[in-house]
Amino acid sequence: MPDPLETFDPTSYVALGDSFTEGLNDPGPDGRYAGWADRLAGMLADRRPDGGFRYANLAVRGRLLDQIAAEQVPEVRRIAPDLVTFCAGGNDILRPGSDPDEVAERFESAVLQLRESAGTVLVCTGFDTRTVPVLRHLRGKIATYNGHMRAIADRNGCTVADLWSLRSVHDRRAWSEDRLHLSPEGHQRVALLAARSLGLPVEQDPEAPWPHRPEPTPAEQRRENLAWARTYLIPWVGRRLRGESSGDHVEAKRPELLPL
């Protein structure tokens, strides 16, 4: 982790990725999704009260790694920001038959391009899905991919926000009802982790304990799981079978580097 005493004071930040970075299920005051990247941008902007901080978020839900590399990564060369966050490949890993070794090779190719144009590149590992229904069987693939991302970061001088180690997101309250995207509090904890990974002082602890609440009974859990499957899992599978994406016809919410 960077030394908090070191001065990291970027004037521009570009966020790349998919629904995780777009900020799904974290509604902002303007009606659009906010998310951890917007929250991190706010922390960085607060450090520059002169208004000299600019931010762009190019992430679009449902995007695969190759789409992000083709659509978003070249924009970094044009913008040349001080900071880029690059969280990608999760949607590829979720697909049956995907190879985390091969996905990691394509991830590193994109990182090499980003390092040519950005001052600092922060990458995020995947979450530990051991407590997530359906996704827990992908835990081994995610762990393999995470190992590659750490090695890629080491080789290319990138900063890592280690989401796998973030134990506070094992609480159900860190996730929205669809169980695939973070809740507002989950996004806040990821933003704090990212800020701390960059060496920024943060007043809140991303691992702060959650308020106590009773655990649901087995019967309540079964009812919740059935309702979740009907509302979210079956439509998600249907889109996969039809070759559709939740990001079809969706554009980046903040495509230009503008004052925050």
Side-chain angles (χ1 to χ4, degrees), residues 10-38:
T11 62
S12 55
Y13 165 34
V14 175
L16 311 181
D18 49 33
S19 60
F20 169 62
T21 301
E22 184 185 347
L24 257 63
N25 298 351
D26 180 21
D30 59 359
R32 297 184 299 180
Y33 289 124
W36 70 270
D38 285 20

Side-chain angles (χ1 to χ4, degrees), residues 212-226:
H212 175 73
R213 72 170 183 179
E215 290 293 325
T217 66
E220 290 172 335
Q221 289 180 338
R222 286 193 294 271
R223 286 195 296 269
E224 290 178 2
N225 290 340
L226 288 173

Side-chain angles (χ1 to χ4, degrees), residues 26-225:
D26 180 21
D30 59 359
R32 297 184 299 180
Y33 289 124
W36 70 270
D38 285 20
R39 291 168 180 265
L40 174 62
M43 296 178 197
L44 293 169
D46 288 344
R47 294 169 59 83
R48 300 189 64 87
D50 58 356
F53 180 79
R54 296 175 299 156
Y55 169 55
N57 189 320
L58 309 183
V60 177
R61 68 197 73 172
R63 289 297 192 262
L64 297 169
L65 175 56
D66 286 348
Q67 293 173 311
I68 295 170
E71 300 167 4
Q72 300 175 28
V73 170
E75 289 297 294
V76 173
R77 182 181 297 275
R78 176 178 67 85
I79 298 172
D82 295 336
L83 170 66
V84 168
T85 56
F86 181 47
C87 306
N91 288 326
D92 299 72
I93 297 298
L94 290 178
R95 296 193 169 227
S98 62
D99 180 356
D101 300 335
E102 187 273 332
V103 176
E105 290 181 4
R106 292 187 279 120
F107 184 89
E108 185 162 21
S109 295
V111 166
L112 290 171
Q113 296 180 57
L114 294 174
R115 291 295 293 130
E116 294 176 354
S117 307
T120 297
V121 177
L122 180 144
V123 301
C124 299
T125 67
F127 292 103
D128 185 351
T129 59
R130 63 181 176 180
T131 61
V132 183
V134 180
L135 299 184
R136 62 168 58 98
H137 73 281
L138 297 174
R139 192 178 184 222
K141 287 176 66 175
I142 296 169
T144 300
Y145 189 53
N146 285 351
H148 282 301
M149 281 194 286
R150 282 193 162 280
I152 290 167
D154 287 343
R155 286 195 293 268
N156 296 282
C158 301
T159 303
V160 178
D162 188 7
L163 303 181
W164 181 276
S165 70
L166 190 60
R167 293 169 294 179
S168 62
V169 297
H170 295 169
D171 191 289
R172 286 280 298 278
R173 287 168 285 185
W175 299 90
S176 60
E177 291 184 354
D178 68 7
R179 303 184 184 180
L180 292 173
H181 301 100
L182 294 168
S183 67
E185 178 62 21
H187 278 287
Q188 175 66 9
R189 289 173 184 257
V190 170
L192 291 169
L193 175 68
R196 196 168 66 178
S197 300
L198 290 167
L200 302 178
V202 293
E203 296 181 359
Q204 298 170 285
D205 182 2
E207 294 283 24
W210 293 82
H212 175 73
R213 72 170 183 179
E215 290 293 325
T217 66
E220 290 172 335
Q221 289 180 338
R222 286 193 294 271
R223 286 195 296 269
E224 290 178 2
N225 290 340

